[in-house]
Amino acid sequence: MSVDAATVRRIAHLARIAVTDDEVPHLQGELNAMLAFVEQLSEVDVDGVEPMTSVTPMQMKKRADVVNDGEIADQVTANAPATEDHFYVVPKVVE
């Protein structure tokens, strides 16, 4: 896969990057080099390779999946002008 000048301009437009006509050939080469590298990576045989989370073997730290209110509801609503049962009370805005 290769990128042409029109695609470079479209990518720049979508990314909201101002690109002059002089910069298009350079960016075209850069994008083509990146795509070539990705194609190289797809040729690597990774059958039997376990996914990794780190270079060094380690166990992921996990916490219990428990729903709670954080036990600080009073602190969270302390500065609110009006609260009711740990909820903010706001004026009605839709009639």
Side-chain angles (χ1 to χ4, degrees):
M1 172 185 280
S2 70
V3 176
D4 60 352
T7 305
V8 171
R9 287 186 186 92
R10 177 152 171 75
I11 291 169
H13 173 73
L14 291 173
R16 304 296 191 257
I17 299 172
V19 175
T20 65
D21 289 337
D22 297 337
E23 295 173 318
V24 170
H26 174 70
L27 292 174
Q28 184 177 354
E30 292 283 324
L31 289 171
N32 284 328
M34 286 183 235
L35 290 174
F37 180 71
V38 171
E39 286 179 14
Q40 253 186 329
L41 289 177
S42 67
E43 296 172 3
V44 176
D45 181 25
V46 292
D47 290 336
V49 177
E50 293 291 323
M52 297 173 39
T53 57
S54 174
V55 178
T56 59
M58 62 173 57
Q59 292 290 327
M60 295 293 291
K61 296 177 183 175
K62 298 179 184 176
R63 62 175 170 79
D65 190 13
V66 179
V67 177
N68 63 25
D69 64 355
E71 301 173 3
I72 59 168
D74 292 329
Q75 295 172 9
V76 171
T77 58
N79 291 330
T83 62
E84 184 178 311
D85 194 28
H86 300 300
F87 293 100
Y88 295 103
V89 177
V90 294
K92 185 177 179 179
V93 293
V94 178
E95 295 184 32

